[in-house]
Amino acid sequence: MGRQIAFYMDDQDEDEFLEFARSTGDVVIISITTDQPGEEFPSFRSLAGRRLGEGCQLWNRSISPQPIVEYYEVHGGYYCVDFLQSEVVNAMRSKREENSLSRGRLHNENDFLRTDGAIAEKSTQFVRWFDQLRRWIRKTYPVVVDGAYASFRAEALAKSGVELTGHRF
């Protein structure tokens, strides 16, 4: 079963969120795809000084095993973290473009389909960690706009004429 939380964050909000995420364990940002082979996915990076990618994944190495990486031959070949099978949180950032701020989101799947066709659950620690991230957003961003939690900064932007939009890829 998948769970998610939508939000509106400006750059400063994102920095604060990543600071909180950093406090929960050895958390790294993972690119969704790469064209580089390797035993460890080459785009694993610490959160220090990093922003979320427009689409990326968060991996808490303190509690979850190495994500599963698949190779796809199409479009010249690329490697991709298998979000559904791995204990990672799919993240899409709020994007500021001209006079708009798009909705961001964190998404997680608590269970997955094993290769034998059986449904398996991800670890309790991982599910609790995801819930901890969601609780922080709900507590820190009490304003709800169109079903998404908005920071006070995002709310101020909206009041100044910046349009809060849906997801932008």
Side-chain angles (χ1 to χ4, degrees), residues 30-130:
I30 304 172
S31 298
I32 292 176
T33 63
T34 182
D35 58 1
Q36 301 297 314
E39 194 169 297
E40 181 173 291
F41 200 75
S43 296
F44 294 162
R45 291 183 172 80
S46 80
L47 291 179
R50 276 292 309 272
R51 292 208 174 280
L52 293 172
E54 289 181 15
C56 62
Q57 294 155 358
L58 300 175
W59 173 34
N60 188 338
R61 297 190 287 197
S62 303
I63 60 170
S64 295
Q66 175 95 12
I68 297 166
V69 176
E70 301 288 342
Y71 180 73
Y72 298 92
E73 291 188 28
V74 298
H75 307 298
Y78 64 95
Y79 296 85
C80 183
V81 171
D82 186 336
F83 160 71
L84 296 175
Q85 303 261 355
S86 302
E87 290 187 357
V88 295
V89 173
N90 190 287
M92 183 173 24
R93 75 183 307 206
S94 288
K95 271 183 8 183
R96 178 75 191 270
E97 291 181 352
E98 297 178 22
N99 206 24
S100 69
L101 180 67
S102 67
R103 181 180 310 172
R105 138 192 120 182
L106 297 180
H107 176 239
N108 162 44
E109 292 293 331
N110 290 344
D111 49 25
F112 60 96
L113 192 61
R114 293 189 329 212
T115 54
D116 65 2
I119 294 178
E121 294 182 357
K122 294 184 179 176
S123 75
T124 302
Q125 283 184 304
F126 172 73
V127 173
R128 284 184 187 149
W129 176 64
F130 179 73

